[in-house]
Amino acid sequence: MAAPTITPLGYAMGAEVTGLDLRRPLDAATRRALYEAWLRHVVLVFPDQNLTPEQHIAFSANFGELDDHASQAPETLLDGHPEILVVTNKHRLGKPSGTRNTGRNWHTDLSYTVRPAKGALLLCQEKPPVGGDTMWANLSLAYETLSPKMRGIVDGLEAVHDVTLVKGIGQRDPTIVATMKARNPPVVHPMVRTHPDTGRKSLLAGERISSILGFSEEESQALLDFLNTHATSPEFVYRHRWRVGDIVLWDNRCTCHVALPDFDQTQPRLMLRCSLKGEAEGRLAEAAPAANREAMIQAVAALS
Ligand code: OGA
Ligand code: MN
């Protein structure tokens, strides 16, 4: 098998991989080369790969075990292939799609479960004439560019991730939303993760975080706003303009991403996603109340 050509696409991350036909199994050397390229470039783009569901699943399995999507509503999975999530604004089974606005705020896939995905492979099957772009932010760069003092603070923090913060979830089919909520109670993850393959630390930022454990609501919100703005600043971002047949593979252990609504929603967009099963385990959040600012004011007043 000839070695693939790997062309960097951006400073923060991203590389295009050409010279491979992904319909065929990879030999061991090519698999190793791709895995190394993935760790180095974080987001890999494979153009012109119109794979069948079986081929998509087989190619994805080169990068890890597949998630069975038990966290998702069954209606949003491809018939006969639960390893594939259908992200589309097209009607499905005569109803508005349960994923018509998937990914509209910055997120790390499946961070609202105890096992966020290791990575994902998204295949573009249909797209509007312009727009429908996706952006990824490099959360290792985000962590490494915080001041040493701030790194020291976030290093020890844990945060609550909540599926109800998925943007636009209220506009989806209520049955699907009810399933998503029932399957995914709030969970806690460390704010700083260590990448199991590279040892590099990254900031688990994103807009599906409701609070930082131990902080008051006001403190949480201010710090989360700062961290999210920092993490998603343009210098850490790769923006992908899709072409039909693109497969994009991202490392979900050190990135977050957002699906932009920058297109005419009457035009069909259809993406198929395999998720790689996560290695790290979070824990279910306890219903402990946040530290309360007003109660603290009253406590101090009582002493003086
Ligand atoms: C996803 C997702 C992005 C997009 O499938 O995880 O966020 O642009 N999709 O569809
Ligand atoms: Mn996503």
Side-chain angles (χ1 to χ4, degrees), residues 10-84:
Y11 165 74
M13 68 194 140
E16 185 167 77
V17 184
T18 52
L20 281 180
D21 178 353
L22 303 185
R23 291 173 301 181
R24 303 189 200 304
L26 303 178
D27 60 33
T30 308
R31 189 180 315 123
R32 261 198 313 278
L34 287 186
Y35 202 93
E36 274 167 28
W38 185 39
L39 294 181
R40 171 193 287 254
H41 297 287
V42 185
V43 173
L44 294 182
V45 178
F46 302 85
D48 290 323
Q49 306 287 351
N50 291 294
L51 304 187
T52 63
E54 290 80 6
Q55 291 162 346
H56 186 182
I57 290 167
F59 175 58
S60 300
N62 286 297
F63 301 92
E65 201 182 325
L66 267 63
D67 190 280
D68 62 3
H69 288 139
S71 57
Q72 305 300 304
E75 303 91 310
T76 59
L77 306 178
L78 193 64
D79 257 356
H81 296 287
E83 303 92 335
I84 296 184

Side-chain angles (χ1 to χ4, degrees), residues 127-255:
K127 66 172 294 288
V130 288
D133 296 359
T134 309
M135 301 200 294
W136 281 266
N138 185 326
L139 297 178
S140 311
L141 282 176
Y143 176 76
E144 290 157 0
T145 52
L146 291 170
S147 66
K149 203 76 168 175
M150 182 55 91
R151 266 181 270 150
I153 293 171
V154 292
D155 268 336
L157 297 179
E158 295 181 308
V160 179
H161 294 244
D162 191 332
V163 75
T164 62
L165 297 179
V166 166
K167 192 169 175 193
I169 195 170
Q171 282 117 54
R172 296 190 197 167
D173 181 328
T175 335
I176 291 179
V177 174
T179 312
M180 290 292 284
K181 287 185 188 171
R183 291 185 176 200
N184 301 291
V187 294
V188 175
H189 293 294
M191 291 216 72
V192 176
R193 300 194 285 179
T194 302
H195 196 292
D197 289 332
T198 65
R200 225 172 143 184
K201 283 181 167 185
S202 68
L203 180 70
L204 183 46
E207 294 174 310
R208 296 178 181 173
I209 300 177
S210 57
S211 62
I212 299 174
L213 286 190
F215 281 17
S216 69
E217 244 177 77
E218 293 82 357
E219 292 165 344
S220 271
Q221 222 37 66
L223 186 52
L224 288 171
D225 285 349
F226 163 72
L227 292 173
N228 283 336
T229 304
H230 167 74
T232 60
S233 47
E235 55 271 38
F236 305 144
V237 166
Y238 167 70
R239 176 172 180 152
H240 190 62
R241 296 172 68 182
W242 293 94
R243 296 151 296 192
V244 169
D246 279 351
I247 289 189
V248 174
L249 159 66
W250 65 91
D251 192 335
N252 200 55
R253 299 169 291 183
C254 54
T255 55

Side-chain angles (χ1 to χ4, degrees), residues 90-117:
K90 294 171 71 166
H91 274 46
R92 296 200 75 221
L93 311 166
K95 296 207 314 193
S97 160
T99 55
R100 47 178 281 278
N101 54 7
T102 283
R104 289 283 189 266
N105 54 3
W106 284 102
H107 67 282
T108 289
D109 281 347
L110 309 185
S111 83
Y112 52 73
T113 75
V114 289
R115 207 189 259 276

